Amino acid sequence: MPHAIPEGALLRRADLLEWFAAHRRELPWRADRDPYRVWISEAMLQQTRVEAARDHFERFVRALPTVRDLAAASEDEVLALWSGLGYYSRARKLREAAQVIVCEHGGAFPRELASALALPGVGPYTAGAVLSIAHGEPVPLVDGNVERVLCRWFGWTGNPKQGALKRALWDAAARLVEGLPDPGAWNQAVMELGALVCTPRTPRCDDCPLAPDCVARATGRTAELPELPRRREAILVELEIALCRKPGAWLLERRPAGGRMAGLHEFPTRELAVREGEERLYPARFASSTLRVEGEVGAVRHTITHHKIEARALTADAGPLEPDGPLRWVPDAELESLGLTGMTRKVLRADFARALC
Ligand code: SF4
């Protein structure tokens, strides 16, 4: 059996659970096991660091404390609360799923795996997290932390993101979560170990409860496992951003309804150099609008997934606007409640933009 769980792993679970009880971080979504809060936090934590998610989570659940509040919220309100976390389709799907939960499940996150997986935007990881942590069901989950811990603990080679090893990791996670009184604590314990001890670059094996039977440690292969696919090469994107100011308002543009960052607002932006074969991140709209560019006032750097953005900020005169076009004057008081791109928030905080107010 190439991917059998070693004997002794099931017995070792007690040590990891004990470690978790002593070392778990106090996080706002761990204050209780309310399925709604668990679900929102898990949706935020995919691709986002705990520290970045913490403030967003508190703001989100303060504004929309229940699944019914989320279902009734406008898309703009949800996008505004999500602003800065990226992956905005996730925020849209959360709202759609909340509507399904209210209409089809009486406002309660389903307990059955198949019903949870049928919700928009809910995949095996999120379903496993909510069902195990909030409902106490023995449902497995695998994320990057779990992949790393299990591959090292068992000495498993191969790409954990696909094929036989991916299936083996889910099978192992299912086997390990079985028969425990608190499956949610187990799932969180493995993820917490990956976040705090079995870290990607410098695992602290001397402090690890799995160390006595960890294959990677015993064979000196902690640096080699897991065998992750190479990251995509970074792509440099050069932009110009138009800052048009009139007393008390900025000129912003709403992004098109489909595609990246759909429906969010941003400063009119144009992409200067696009490599052949690469999709544009930004519509080239302001080149054809009535904006008249004046002088350069500053620059910002920003990253979106593997795109490294360098943007020059230019002041500009707006000229007459199309009545139903994507450009509109947004009063300062409205900015907080509007879905803005992360880069737009960054520019608004920059000294050069504040100097124009
Ligand atoms: S002993 Fe080291 S490599 Fe093995 S699971 Fe623990 S921290 Fe990770």
Side-chain angles (χ1 to χ4, degrees), residues 127-144:
V130 181
L131 266 58
S132 65
I133 298 169
H135 291 322
E137 300 289 343
V139 181
L141 60 78
V142 176
D143 72 346

Side-chain angles (χ1 to χ4, degrees), residues 6 17 58-59 65 69 78 88 97 137 144 150 173 184 212 229 247 249 289 321 327:
L17 285 166
E58 287 183 329
R59 201 158 55 100
D69 296 316
V78 178
Y88 293 92
E137 300 289 343
L150 297 190
S289 75
L321 302 184
L327 293 168

Side-chain angles (χ1 to χ4, degrees), residues 277-343:
E278 285 292 339
E279 66 168 324
R280 274 185 179 276
L281 284 182
Y282 291 84
R285 196 171 287 132
F286 96 64
S288 59
S289 75
T290 54
L291 298 187
R292 283 195 309 280
V293 169
E294 294 161 354
E296 183 172 342
V297 288
V300 286
R301 290 190 169 172
H302 189 65
T303 303
I304 301 177
T305 61
H306 59 293
H307 294 92
K308 300 241 176 283
I309 296 174
E310 293 185 1
R312 295 164 62 217
L314 312 162
T315 52
D317 184 76
L321 302 184
E322 297 167 44
D324 295 317
L327 293 168
R328 74 174 175 99
W329 290 105
V330 176
D332 293 340
E334 229 185 90
L335 290 172
E336 265 306 303
S337 58
L338 205 63
L340 302 174
T341 64
M343 190 167 68

Side-chain angles (χ1 to χ4, degrees), residues 3 147 157-170 227-229:
H3 289 124
E147 284 169 4
T157 54
N159 180 354
K161 305 282 182 204
Q162 63 189 41
L165 182 54
K166 180 177 175 183
R167 281 193 300 280
L169 288 167
W170 277 93
E227 294 178 347
L228 290 167

Side-chain angles (χ1 to χ4, degrees), residues 106-146:
F109 197 98
R111 296 186 82 99
E112 308 74 38
L113 183 58
S115 308
L117 289 172
L119 295 170
V122 174
Y125 169 80
T126 308
V130 181
L131 266 58
S132 65
I133 298 169
H135 291 322
E137 300 289 343
V139 181
L141 60 78
V142 176
D143 72 346
N145 283 321
V146 177

Side-chain angles (χ1 to χ4, degrees), residues 62-105:
R62 207 178 309 124
L64 304 172
T66 68
V67 71
R68 289 182 190 281
D69 296 316
L70 173 55
S74 70
E75 185 173 293
D76 276 345
E77 188 180 359
V78 178
L79 289 175
L81 290 165
W82 200 265
S83 190
L85 287 170
Y87 301 93
Y88 293 92
S89 62
R90 227 185 290 155
R92 273 191 204 90
K93 294 237 169 80
L94 268 185
R95 177 170 164 270
E96 284 170 40
Q99 291 168 346
V100 175
I101 290 171
V102 168
C103 293
E104 297 178 15
H105 300 283

